[in-house]
Amino acid sequence: MKAAPFAYVRPATLDDAVAELVRSAGEGKVLAGGQSLVPILAMRLARPSTVVDIGALSELDFVRREGNELVVGALVRQRTLEGHPLAAEVPLLLLALPWIGHRELRSRGTVCGSIAHADPAAELPAVACCLGASLEIAGPAGRRTVAAAEFFHGAMATSVGAEDVLAAVRFPVAGSGEGFGFAEIARRHGDFALAGVATRFRAGDGEAVLTAFGVSDRPVTRDVTGLGDDEVADLARGLVDTAGDTHGSREYRQRLVAALAVRELARARRAAEGGSA
Amino acid sequence: MTSPPPLPRPVRAEAGEPLDVTMTVNGTEVSLSLPARVTLADALRDHLGLTGTHLGCEHGVCGMCTVLVNGSAARACLLFACQLDGADIVTVEGLGRPDDLHPLQEAFGAHHALQCGFCTPGFLLSSYDLLAHKPDVAEEDLPVELSGVLCRCTGYRNILSAVSEVAGAHRDGIPGPRNCGRHVLMGHTAAEPGAKSAPEPVGVREIELPQGDPTFTVEVTQELTASLEKTWAVLDDIDLVAACLPGAELTEHLGDEKYRGRARVSVGPIRLSFVGLAQVTERDAAAHRLRVIGQGEDAGGGRTQADILLVAEEAGAGTRLRATAQVYLTGRIAQFGRALAGDVSRRMFEQFAAAVEETAVSGVRTTARKPPGALALLAATLVAKAREWGRRLRRAEHNPPTHPKGTQR
């Protein structure tokens, strides 16, 4: 399987990258890590006229703390962030990153690329939603920032338009007394999840948030503050918005997500209470 | 940690238009010219002749094509070669040498962790990456850590044992790749597959001899009846030397002791036609020493380089001719059994010595030679092999091996 021929551009600045996308009139595609895009090209499910490789945009190669946010540029690879000293400021990231594919894919796959690709079963979109991250998009009209809750429109559809580049993601840094949980069930380690959850709990006011993924066309986030286990399980079951497929029926996914939700909320709570003296 | 790899240079290419890519592969810098859609896996296999990187699914699932990119394992089928301008790549060919295997390779052999061998390169580089970054990995984590590569004959148990053993033996860090030096690698390939075959390197004017170990070394000593003087007269005349080399033909004198030529070799169904350069780097009439380095490229994607030293010395009334050649092979030609390639080269030197003798004795340039007869060469080689096996067998009968299973030396 080989990709169909495409024009290839590797611009030196983000502005040039946007200009190239404008020039390719909706037929361009951004390439960063390529771990989701290249298989699609190889199978010829996508045949962009132009691939805009952002691999030379040094301005997007950064991980830095800005106020209460950890800002991750579009060139940062998943494995780089996994080993980055600042990643500990966002514990949910460290819980979720090892679930992404395999080491070999995380070596090249980027954090922003996974979010921009918006596979419904992907881990990082769920992390972004659970934490209420915000996404920095560069487009022909300049920069704009979109909240994760508004960013995902559907399966592989986001606020990133055909002429836009997702330049960075801003994750809120964990406050004191916050704990997190993350888990997914896949047929095999590294496969896309049949169902997965990301959770967050705050010890002080008991705020609890649940994000389910792999069960709908986008991550679904609910405030579950004050709910008991049975209520959480019921709520989680209701988030499954997909018919069954060869890998698992709708009912199977409902059981998975309910069990994961209860378990990972408990984990988040333990972490929060253990960490808040 | 090491400093981050350099970012690639900005470029632009229309669909199908070749891009220039320079990267380091197993320690050797290579320049390629290929369209953007060519993956790293295809560039390694088809353009550099490094077929140790296997391809299975070609969309990132099976892990056969796993190589090291800037020190971390990555899928070569999910990377376009053009993205890797300036990158450092290590393939299974760079991990170890046949005579100096990497500990992981040794362990895979000892644990029978390579059943059909197809997944082996991927597993070796994936486990190398794991142990290089996580030398303290727990044994129970190995199945998950190595799940990025699939083995179709389900040899996982043995693979895990092999990796576990190496992990235990190298908690302070796994030894680095053992075969990363300057190698001969093909470069500058055609734009699109099928567009045109590899260009003849007619513009090449410099010979670059690789460093590191040759693919094989041939040493031949032949007693000639011709006098030392007459023998040296042949060696001192490059046209005569070329005429004595089976299948070789000198096509151009470039001056400065450089020559362009052609060489044809055929062994069984294998027919190789090299075009290339030769340069006399040492010509010592007093010591009767002649040193020639040469390089040739075959249209089929093979490259050979050789450093040849010819020394003639007096031996009674005649001459003893010693030839030492260090031969470096890459590309498809290197797939050809190394031992056999060495034997064929030895035959060629014996034929060369016989031709030198004939020319020296007769004093005339011998008529244009045919390329070494395929059957004759192969027959002579096989006869020699059979004799050697016979000898080994007899030795083995007298001295049954006592070393334990699994050790090689």
Side-chain angles (χ1 to χ4, degrees), chain A residues 1-12 20 23 31-36 38-39 41-44 49 51 53 55-58 61 75 79 102-108 188-191, chain B residues 7-16 19 36-37 42 55 57-61 66 69-70 72-75 77-80 82-85 126 129-130 133 144-150 192:
Chain A
M1 291 186 297
K2 314 292 176 197
F6 50 79
Y8 176 85
V9 202
R10 191 166 57 219
E20 293 290 354
R23 193 196 323 218
L31 171 69
Q35 303 300 283
S36 299
V38 177
L41 296 180
M43 291 187 266
R44 302 207 178 184
S49 69
V51 167
D53 181 357
L57 305 187
S58 50
D61 192 11
L75 236 56
R79 235 179 125 175
H102 303 276
R103 243 179 319 118
E104 296 88 338
L105 300 167
R106 298 197 295 276
S107 292
R108 301 297 303 184
R188 176 178 85 93
H189 176 80
D191 275 357
Chain B
L7 293 175
R9 302 164 290 186
V11 290
R12 163 191 295 281
E14 294 310 315
L19 283 146
R37 66 180 180 137
D42 286 338
L55 272 169
C57 70
E58 292 192 277
H59 64 282
V61 173
T66 302
V69 178
N70 297 324
S72 297
R75 305 271 204 250
C77 74
L78 292 190
L79 290 165
F80 294 119
C82 60
Q83 290 176 272
L84 296 165
D85 194 48
S126 179
D129 171 50
L130 172 66
H133 290 93
V144 163
E145 290 287 0
L146 295 176
S147 61
V149 185
L150 301 180
E192 275 280 46

Side-chain angles (χ1 to χ4, degrees), chain B residues 272-287:
Chain B
L272 300 168
S273 177
F274 293 96
V275 287
L277 293 174
Q279 181 178 10
V280 175
T281 55
E282 188 185 338
R283 189 196 294 275
D284 187 338

Side-chain angles (χ1 to χ4, degrees), chain B residues 111-199:
Chain B
H111 287 269
H112 185 45
L114 24 70
Q115 296 186 35
C116 79
F118 192 68
C119 69
T120 306
F123 264 114
L124 285 170
L125 293 166
S126 179
S127 50
Y128 177 87
D129 171 50
L130 172 66
L131 300 186
H133 290 93
K134 223 176 178 181
D136 55 344
V137 63
E139 189 172 357
E140 60 265 30
D141 291 337
L142 287 178
V144 163
E145 290 287 0
L146 295 176
S147 61
V149 185
L150 301 180
C151 164
R152 289 197 287 190
C153 37
T154 64
Y156 294 106
R157 177 49 55 199
N158 298 342
I159 292 167
L160 296 175
S161 309
V163 177
S164 172
E165 180 188 270
V166 178
H170 297 279
R171 288 296 182 200
D172 48 346
I174 181 113
R178 298 203 161 162
N179 196 22
C180 288
R182 263 183 66 202
H183 300 277
V184 220
L185 292 167
M186 301 287 293
H188 297 297
T189 42
E192 275 280 46
K196 58 178 177 150
S197 58

Side-chain angles (χ1 to χ4, degrees), chain A residues 15 27 59 68 79 119 144 148 151 159 161 165 195 199 207 259:
Chain A
D15 290 345
E27 296 298 312
E59 62 195 289
N68 281 329
R79 235 179 125 175
D119 188 294
R144 62 190 192 276
F151 181 80
S159 300
V165 177
T199 60
E207 187 193 57

Side-chain angles (χ1 to χ4, degrees), chain B residues 36-50:
Chain B
R37 66 180 180 137
V38 175
T39 64
L40 173 63
D42 286 338
L44 291 170
R45 292 178 55 86
D46 299 342
H47 297 257
L48 295 173
L50 295 171

